[in-house]
Coordinates of all heavy atoms in Angstrom, one line a residue:
M18 N 14.9 32.1 5.2 CA 14.4 31.4 6.4 C 14.4 29.9 6.1 O 13.9 29.4 5.2 CB 13.0 31.9 6.7 CG 12.5 31.3 8.0 SD 10.9 32.0 8.5 CE 9.8 31.4 7.2
P19 N 15.0 29.1 7.0 CA 15.0 27.7 6.8 C 13.6 27.1 7.0 O 12.8 27.7 7.7 CB 16.0 27.2 7.9 CG 15.9 28.2 9.0 CD 15.7 29.5 8.3
L20 N 13.4 26.0 6.4 CA 12.1 25.3 6.5 C 12.3 23.8 6.8 O 13.1 23.2 6.1 CB 11.4 25.5 5.2 CG 9.9 25.1 5.1 CD1 9.1 25.9 6.0 CD2 9.4 25.2 3.7
Y21 N 11.6 23.4 7.8 CA 11.7 22.0 8.2 C 10.3 21.3 8.0 O 9.3 22.0 8.2 CB 12.1 21.9 9.7 CG 13.4 22.4 10.0 CD1 13.6 23.8 10.2 CD2 14.6 21.6 10.0 CE1 14.9 24.4 10.4 CE2 15.8 22.2 10.2 CZ 16.0 23.5 10.4 OH 17.2 24.1 10.7
A22 N 10.3 20.0 7.7 CA 9.0 19.4 7.4 C 8.9 18.0 8.1 O 9.9 17.4 8.4 CB 8.9 19.1 5.9
K23 N 7.7 17.7 8.4 CA 7.4 16.4 9.0 C 6.0 16.0 8.8 O 5.1 16.8 8.7 CB 7.7 16.6 10.5 CG 7.6 15.3 11.3 CD 8.0 15.6 12.8 CE 8.1 14.3 13.6 NZ 8.6 14.5 14.9
V24 N 5.7 14.7 8.6 CA 4.4 14.2 8.5 C 3.9 13.7 9.9 O 4.5 13.0 10.5 CB 4.3 13.0 7.5 CG1 2.9 12.4 7.5 CG2 4.7 13.5 6.1
D25 N 2.7 14.2 10.2 CA 2.0 13.7 11.4 C 1.3 12.5 11.0 O 0.2 12.5 10.4 CB 1.0 14.8 11.9 CG 0.2 14.3 13.1 OD1 0.4 13.1 13.5 OD2 -0.7 15.0 13.6
R26 N 1.9 11.4 11.3 CA 1.4 10.1 10.8 C 0.0 9.7 11.5 O -0.7 8.9 11.0 CB 2.4 9.0 11.0 CG 3.6 9.2 10.0 CD 4.8 8.4 10.4 NE 4.6 7.0 10.5 CZ 4.6 6.2 9.5 NH1 4.8 6.6 8.3 NH2 4.4 4.9 9.7
E27 N -0.3 10.3 12.6 CA -1.6 10.1 13.2 C -2.7 10.8 12.4 O -3.9 10.3 12.4 CB -1.6 10.7 14.6 CG -0.7 10.1 15.6 CD -1.2 8.7 16.0 OE1 -2.4 8.6 16.3 OE2 -0.3 7.8 16.2
A28 N -2.3 11.8 11.7 CA -3.3 12.6 10.8 C -3.3 12.1 9.4 O -4.3 12.5 8.6 CB -3.0 14.1 10.9
C29 N -2.4 11.3 9.0 CA -2.3 10.9 7.6 C -3.4 9.8 7.4 O -3.6 8.9 8.2 CB -0.9 10.3 7.4 SG -0.7 9.5 5.7
I30 N -4.1 9.9 6.2 CA -5.1 9.0 5.9 C -4.6 8.0 4.7 O -5.5 7.3 4.1 CB -6.4 9.7 5.5 CG1 -6.2 10.6 4.3 CG2 -7.0 10.4 6.7 CD1 -7.5 11.2 3.7
A31 N -3.3 8.0 4.5 CA -2.8 7.1 3.5 C -3.3 7.3 2.1 O -3.6 6.3 1.4 CB -2.9 5.7 4.0
C32 N -3.6 8.5 1.7 CA -4.1 8.7 0.4 C -3.1 8.7 -0.8 O -3.4 8.5 -1.9 CB -4.8 10.1 0.3 SG -3.7 11.5 0.3
G33 N -1.8 8.8 -0.4 CA -0.7 8.7 -1.4 C -0.4 9.9 -2.2 O 0.5 9.9 -3.0
L34 N -1.2 11.0 -2.0 CA -1.0 12.2 -2.8 C 0.3 12.8 -2.7 O 0.9 13.2 -3.7 CB -2.1 13.2 -2.5 CG -2.3 14.4 -3.4 CD1 -2.6 13.9 -4.8 CD2 -3.4 15.3 -2.9
C35 N 0.8 12.9 -1.5 CA 2.1 13.6 -1.3 C 3.2 12.9 -2.1 O 4.1 13.5 -2.7 CB 2.5 13.8 0.1 SG 2.5 12.3 1.1
Q36 N 3.2 11.5 -2.0 CA 4.2 10.8 -2.7 C 4.1 10.9 -4.2 O 5.1 11.0 -4.9 CB 4.1 9.3 -2.3 CG 5.4 8.5 -2.5 CD 5.5 8.0 -3.9 OE1 4.6 7.8 -4.6 NE2 6.8 7.8 -4.4
M37 N 2.9 11.0 -4.7 CA 2.7 11.2 -6.2 C 3.2 12.6 -6.6 O 3.8 12.8 -7.6 CB 1.2 11.2 -6.5 CG 0.7 9.7 -6.7 SD -1.1 9.7 -7.1 CE -1.3 11.2 -8.0
L38 N 2.9 13.6 -5.8 CA 3.3 15.0 -6.1 C 4.8 15.3 -5.9 O 5.3 16.2 -6.5 CB 2.4 16.0 -5.4 CG 0.9 15.9 -5.7 CD1 0.1 16.8 -4.7 CD2 0.7 16.4 -7.1
A39 N 5.3 14.7 -4.9 CA 6.7 15.0 -4.5 C 7.4 13.7 -4.1 O 7.8 13.4 -3.0 CB 6.7 16.0 -3.3
P40 N 7.7 12.8 -5.1 CA 8.3 11.5 -4.8 C 9.7 11.5 -4.3 O 10.1 10.6 -3.7 CB 8.2 10.8 -6.2 CG 8.1 11.9 -7.2 CD 7.4 13.0 -6.5
T41 N 10.4 12.6 -4.4 CA 11.7 12.7 -3.9 C 11.7 13.1 -2.4 O 12.7 13.0 -1.7 CB 12.6 13.8 -4.6 OG1 11.9 15.0 -4.5 CG2 12.8 13.4 -6.1
L42 N 10.5 13.5 -1.9 CA 10.4 13.9 -0.5 C 9.6 13.1 0.4 O 9.7 13.1 1.6 CB 9.9 15.4 -0.4 CG 10.7 16.4 -1.2 CD1 10.0 17.8 -1.0 CD2 12.1 16.5 -0.6
F43 N 8.6 12.3 -0.2 CA 7.7 11.5 0.6 C 7.6 10.1 0.1 O 7.7 9.8 -1.1 CB 6.3 12.2 0.5 CG 6.2 13.5 1.1 CD1 6.3 14.6 0.2 CD2 6.0 13.7 2.4 CE1 6.3 15.9 0.8 CE2 5.9 15.0 3.0 CZ 6.1 16.1 2.1
D44 N 7.5 9.2 1.0 CA 7.3 7.8 0.7 C 6.3 7.3 1.8 O 5.9 8.0 2.7 CB 8.6 7.0 0.8 CG 8.5 5.8 -0.1 OD1 7.4 5.4 -0.6 OD2 9.6 5.1 -0.2
Y45 N 5.8 6.1 1.6 CA 4.9 5.5 2.5 C 5.2 4.1 2.9 O 5.9 3.4 2.2 CB 3.4 5.6 2.0 CG 3.3 5.2 0.6 CD1 3.1 3.9 0.2 CD2 3.3 6.1 -0.5 CE1 2.9 3.5 -1.1 CE2 3.1 5.8 -1.8 CZ 2.9 4.4 -2.1 OH 2.8 4.1 -3.4
D46 N 4.7 3.7 4.0 CA 5.1 2.3 4.6 C 4.0 1.3 4.1 O 3.2 1.6 3.3 CB 5.2 2.4 6.1 CG 3.9 2.7 6.8 OD1 2.8 2.6 6.1 OD2 4.0 3.1 8.0
A47 N 4.1 0.1 4.6 CA 3.2 -1.0 4.2 C 1.8 -0.6 4.5 O 0.9 -1.2 3.8 CB 3.6 -2.3 4.9
D48 N 1.5 0.2 5.4 CA 0.1 0.6 5.7 C -0.3 1.8 4.9 O -1.4 2.3 5.1 CB 0.0 0.9 7.2 CG 0.2 -0.3 8.1 OD1 -0.2 -1.4 7.7 OD2 0.8 -0.1 9.2
G49 N 0.6 2.4 4.1 CA 0.2 3.5 3.3 C 0.5 4.9 4.0 O 0.2 5.9 3.4
L50 N 0.9 4.8 5.2 CA 1.2 6.1 5.9 C 2.4 6.7 5.4 O 3.5 6.1 5.3 CB 1.2 5.8 7.4 CG 0.0 5.3 8.1 CD1 0.2 4.9 9.5 CD2 -1.2 6.2 7.9
A51 N 2.4 8.0 5.2 CA 3.5 8.8 4.6 C 4.5 9.2 5.6 O 4.2 9.3 6.8 CB 2.9 10.0 3.9
S52 N 5.7 9.4 5.1 CA 6.7 10.1 5.9 C 7.6 10.9 5.0 O 7.6 10.8 3.8 CB 7.6 9.0 6.7 OG 8.3 8.2 5.7
Y53 N 8.2 11.9 5.7 CA 9.1 12.8 4.9 C 10.5 12.1 4.9 O 11.1 12.0 6.0 CB 9.1 14.2 5.7 CG 10.1 15.1 5.1 CD1 9.8 15.7 3.9 CD2 11.3 15.5 5.7 CE1 10.7 16.6 3.3 CE2 12.2 16.4 5.2 CZ 11.9 17.0 4.0 OH 12.7 17.8 3.4
T54 N 10.9 11.8 3.7 CA 12.1 10.9 3.7 C 13.5 11.5 3.8 O 14.4 10.8 4.3 CB 12.1 10.1 2.3 OG1 12.0 11.0 1.2 CG2 10.9 9.1 2.3
P55 N 13.7 12.8 3.4 CA 15.1 13.3 3.5 C 15.7 13.2 4.9 O 17.0 13.0 5.0 CB 15.0 14.7 3.0 CG 13.8 14.7 2.1 CD 12.8 13.7 2.8
D56 N 14.9 13.3 5.9 CA 15.5 13.1 7.3 C 14.8 12.1 8.1 O 14.7 12.1 9.3 CB 15.6 14.4 8.0 CG 14.2 15.1 8.2 OD1 13.2 14.4 8.0 OD2 14.2 16.2 8.7
H57 N 14.2 11.1 7.4 CA 13.5 10.0 8.1 C 12.4 10.5 9.0 O 12.1 10.0 10.1 CB 14.5 9.1 8.9 CG 15.6 8.6 8.0 ND1 15.4 7.6 7.1 CD2 16.9 9.0 8.0 CE1 16.6 7.4 6.5 NE2 17.5 8.3 7.0
N58 N 11.7 11.5 8.5 CA 10.5 12.1 9.2 C 10.9 12.6 10.6 O 10.0 12.7 11.5 CB 9.4 11.1 9.3 CG 8.0 11.8 9.3 OD1 7.8 12.7 8.4 ND2 7.2 11.5 10.2
T59 N 12.1 13.1 10.8 CA 12.4 13.6 12.1 C 12.2 15.2 12.1 O 12.2 15.8 13.2 CB 13.9 13.4 12.5 OG1 14.8 13.9 11.4 CG2 14.2 11.9 12.6
G60 N 12.1 15.8 10.9 CA 11.9 17.2 10.9 C 13.1 18.0 11.4 O 12.9 19.1 12.0
T61 N 14.3 17.5 11.2 CA 15.5 18.1 11.7 C 16.5 18.6 10.7 O 17.5 19.2 11.0 CB 16.2 17.2 12.7 OG1 16.5 16.0 12.0 CG2 15.4 16.9 13.9
T62 N 16.2 18.3 9.4 CA 17.1 18.8 8.3 C 16.4 19.8 7.4 O 15.3 19.5 6.9 CB 17.5 17.6 7.4 OG1 18.1 16.6 8.3 CG2 18.5 18.0 6.4
P63 N 16.9 21.0 7.3 CA 16.2 22.0 6.5 C 16.1 21.6 5.0 O 17.0 21.0 4.5 CB 17.1 23.3 6.7 CG 18.4 22.8 7.1 CD 18.2 21.5 7.8
L64 N 15.0 22.0 4.4 CA 14.8 21.7 3.0 C 15.8 22.7 2.2 O 16.0 23.8 2.6 CB 13.4 22.1 2.5 CG 12.3 21.0 2.8 CD1 11.8 21.2 4.2 CD2 11.2 21.1 1.8
T65 N 16.3 22.2 1.1 CA 17.0 23.1 0.2 C 16.0 23.9 -0.6 O 14.8 23.6 -0.6 CB 17.8 22.2 -0.8 OG1 16.9 21.5 -1.7 CG2 18.8 21.3 -0.1
G66 N 16.4 24.9 -1.3 CA 15.5 25.7 -2.1 C 14.8 24.9 -3.1 O 13.5 25.1 -3.3
A67 N 15.4 24.0 -3.8 CA 14.8 23.2 -4.8 C 13.7 22.3 -4.1 O 12.6 22.1 -4.7 CB 15.8 22.4 -5.6
Q68 N 14.1 21.7 -3.0 CA 13.2 20.8 -2.3 C 11.9 21.6 -1.8 O 10.8 21.1 -1.8 CB 13.8 20.2 -1.1 CG 14.8 19.1 -1.4 CD 15.5 18.6 -0.2 OE1 15.8 19.4 0.8 NE2 15.9 17.3 -0.1
A69 N 12.1 22.8 -1.4 CA 11.0 23.6 -0.9 C 9.9 23.9 -2.0 O 8.8 23.9 -1.7 CB 11.5 25.0 -0.4
I70 N 10.4 24.0 -3.2 CA 9.4 24.2 -4.3 C 8.6 22.9 -4.5 O 7.4 23.0 -4.6 CB 10.2 24.6 -5.6 CG1 10.8 26.0 -5.5 CG2 9.3 24.5 -6.8 CD1 11.8 26.3 -6.6
V71 N 9.2 21.8 -4.5 CA 8.5 20.5 -4.7 C 7.6 20.3 -3.5 O 6.5 19.8 -3.6 CB 9.5 19.4 -4.9 CG1 8.8 18.0 -5.0 CG2 10.4 19.6 -6.2
F72 N 8.2 20.6 -2.3 CA 7.5 20.3 -1.0 C 6.1 21.1 -1.1 O 5.1 20.5 -0.6 CB 8.3 20.8 0.1 CG 7.6 20.9 1.4 CD1 7.4 19.7 2.2 CD2 7.0 22.0 1.9 CE1 6.8 19.7 3.4 CE2 6.4 22.1 3.1 CZ 6.2 20.9 3.9
R73 N 6.1 22.3 -1.5 CA 4.9 23.1 -1.5 C 3.7 22.4 -2.3 O 2.6 22.5 -1.9 CB 5.2 24.5 -2.1 CG 4.0 25.4 -2.1 CD 4.4 26.8 -2.5 NE 3.3 27.6 -2.8 CZ 2.5 28.1 -1.8 NH1 2.8 28.0 -0.6 NH2 1.4 28.8 -2.1
R74 N 4.1 21.7 -3.3 CA 3.0 21.0 -4.1 C 2.3 20.0 -3.2 O 1.0 19.9 -3.2 CB 3.7 20.2 -5.2 CG 4.2 20.9 -6.4 CD 4.7 20.0 -7.4 NE 5.8 20.6 -8.2 CZ 6.8 19.9 -8.7 NH1 6.9 18.6 -8.5 NH2 7.7 20.5 -9.3
A75 N 3.0 19.3 -2.4 CA 2.4 18.3 -1.5 C 1.7 19.0 -0.3 O 0.6 18.6 0.1 CB 3.4 17.3 -1.1
Y76 N 2.5 19.9 0.3 CA 2.0 20.6 1.5 C 0.6 21.2 1.3 O -0.2 21.1 2.1 CB 3.0 21.6 1.9 CG 2.6 22.5 3.1 CD1 2.7 22.0 4.4 CD2 2.2 23.8 2.9 CE1 2.3 22.7 5.5 CE2 1.8 24.5 3.9 CZ 1.8 24.0 5.2 OH 1.4 24.8 6.3
T77 N 0.5 21.9 0.2 CA -0.8 22.6 -0.1 C -1.9 21.7 -0.4 O -3.1 22.1 -0.4 CB -0.6 23.7 -1.2 OG1 -0.2 23.0 -2.4 CG2 0.4 24.7 -0.7
R78 N -1.7 20.5 -0.8 CA -2.8 19.6 -1.2 C -3.0 18.4 -0.3 O -4.0 17.6 -0.6 CB -2.5 19.2 -2.7 CG -2.5 20.4 -3.6 CD -2.2 20.2 -5.0 NE -3.1 19.3 -5.7 CZ -2.9 18.9 -6.9 NH1 -1.8 19.3 -7.5 NH2 -3.7 18.1 -7.5
C79 N -2.3 18.3 0.7 CA -2.6 17.2 1.7 C -4.0 17.4 2.2 O -4.3 18.5 2.8 CB -1.6 17.2 2.8 SG -2.0 16.0 4.1
P80 N -4.9 16.4 2.1 CA -6.3 16.7 2.4 C -6.5 16.8 3.9 O -7.6 17.3 4.3 CB -7.0 15.4 1.9 CG -6.0 14.4 1.8 CD -4.7 15.1 1.4
T81 N -5.6 16.3 4.7 CA -5.9 16.4 6.2 C -4.9 17.3 6.9 O -5.0 17.4 8.2 CB -5.7 15.0 6.8 OG1 -4.3 14.6 6.6 CG2 -6.6 14.0 6.2
G82 N -4.0 18.0 6.2 CA -3.1 18.9 6.9 C -2.1 18.1 7.7 O -1.5 18.6 8.7
A83 N -1.8 16.9 7.3 CA -0.9 16.0 8.1 C 0.6 16.4 7.8 O 1.4 16.0 8.6 CB -1.1 14.6 7.7
I84 N 0.8 17.2 6.8 CA 2.2 17.6 6.5 C 2.4 18.9 7.2 O 1.7 19.9 7.0 CB 2.4 17.8 5.0 CG1 2.2 16.4 4.3 CG2 3.9 18.2 4.7 CD1 2.2 16.6 2.7
H85 N 3.4 18.9 8.1 CA 3.6 20.1 8.9 C 4.9 20.7 8.5 O 5.8 20.1 8.0 CB 3.8 19.8 10.4 CG 2.5 19.3 11.0 ND1 2.3 19.1 12.3 CD2 1.3 18.9 10.4 CE1 1.1 18.6 12.6 NE2 0.5 18.5 11.4
R86 N 5.0 22.0 8.6 CA 6.3 22.7 8.3 C 6.5 23.8 9.3 O 5.5 24.4 9.9 CB 6.3 23.3 6.9 CG 5.3 24.5 6.8 CD 5.3 25.1 5.4 NE 4.4 26.2 5.4 CZ 4.2 27.0 4.3 NH1 4.8 26.7 3.2 NH2 3.4 28.0 4.4
Q87 N 7.7 24.2 9.6 CA 8.0 25.3 10.5 C 9.4 25.7 10.3 O 10.2 25.1 9.6 CB 7.8 24.8 12.0 CG 8.7 23.7 12.4 CD 8.3 23.3 13.9 OE1 7.2 23.2 14.2 NE2 9.3 22.9 14.7
A88 N 9.8 26.9 10.8 CA 11.1 27.5 10.6 C 12.2 27.0 11.5 O 13.4 27.2 11.2 CB 11.0 29.0 10.8
A89 N 11.8 26.2 12.5 CA 12.8 25.6 13.4 C 12.7 24.1 13.4 O 11.7 23.6 13.0 CB 12.6 26.1 14.8
P90 N 13.8 23.4 13.7 CA 13.7 21.9 13.7 C 12.6 21.5 14.7 O 12.3 22.1 15.7 CB 15.1 21.5 14.2 CG 16.0 22.7 14.0 CD 15.1 23.9 14.1
F91 N 12.0 20.4 14.3 CA 11.0 19.8 15.2 C 11.7 19.1 16.3 O 12.8 18.6 16.2 CB 10.1 18.7 14.4 CG 9.2 19.3 13.4 CD1 9.6 19.8 12.2 CD2 7.8 19.4 13.8 CE1 8.7 20.4 11.3 CE2 6.9 20.0 12.9 CZ 7.3 20.5 11.7
S92 N 11.0 19.1 17.5 CA 11.5 18.3 18.6 C 11.0 16.9 18.5 O 9.9 16.6 17.8 CB 11.2 18.9 19.9 OG 9.8 19.0 20.1
S93 N 11.5 15.9 19.2 CA 11.1 14.5 19.0 C 9.7 14.3 19.5 O 9.1 13.3 19.2 CB 12.1 13.6 19.7 OG 12.2 14.0 21.1
D94 N 9.2 15.1 20.4 CA 7.8 14.9 20.9 C 6.8 15.6 20.1 O 5.6 15.5 20.5 CB 7.8 15.3 22.4 CG 8.1 16.7 22.6 OD1 8.6 17.4 21.7 OD2 7.8 17.2 23.7
E95 N 7.1 16.2 19.0 CA 6.1 16.9 18.2 C 5.6 15.9 17.2 O 6.4 15.0 16.7 CB 6.7 18.1 17.5 CG 6.9 19.3 18.4 CD 7.6 20.4 17.7 OE1 8.8 20.3 17.3 OE2 6.9 21.5 17.5
P96 N 4.3 16.0 16.7 CA 3.8 15.0 15.8 C 4.4 15.1 14.4 O 5.0 16.1 14.1 CB 2.3 15.3 15.7 CG 2.2 16.7 16.2 CD 3.3 16.9 17.1
Ligands
LIG2 S1 -1.1 13.7 1.3 FE1 -1.4 13.9 3.5 S2 -2.9 12.3 4.0 FE2 -2.2 11.9 1.9 S3 -0.5 10.3 2.2 FE3 0.4 12.4 2.2 S4 0.5 13.0 4.4 FE4 -0.9 11.3 4.2

């Protein structure tokens, strides 16, 4: 099953944890807010199997649940 990811930047508290745990998948801007970098936080490119393993580290530990995942691509109006 494909997996797509996106950070809800409204829910991100800029703790930096996801970037520490999965630096190949997450980065943050000047305000510290995170984004999912492989597809510029659009949530439209499925994770590879290797990415999914790393992704899980960050997804399960984000303190606010700001990292979202789903089996279908995100639409542009989703957080
Ligand atoms: S772990 Fe969650 S709250 Fe912390 S920077 Fe990443 S997305 Fe934001």
Side-chain angles (χ1 to χ4, degrees):
M18 181 173 69
L20 188 65
Y21 298 83
K23 187 173 184 177
V24 174
D25 175 359
R26 290 164 56 84
E27 297 287 320
C29 175
I30 58 170
C32 73
L34 190 59
C35 58
Q36 200 278 333
M37 278 179 32
L38 295 171
T41 58
L42 300 180
F43 297 94
D44 204 354
Y45 44 87
D46 63 17
D48 295 324
L50 298 176
S52 62
Y53 177 71
T54 54
D56 61 9
H57 307 287
N58 210 51
T59 59
T61 55
T62 304
L64 282 86
T65 65
Q68 286 175 326
I70 293 169
V71 177
F72 171 81
R73 183 173 167 76
R74 287 184 210 146
Y76 174 78
T77 58
R78 294 175 64 186
C79 173
T81 65
I84 301 172
H85 294 191
R86 68 176 184 183
Q87 62 186 38
F91 287 79
S92 61
S93 58
D94 59 345
E95 289 177 290

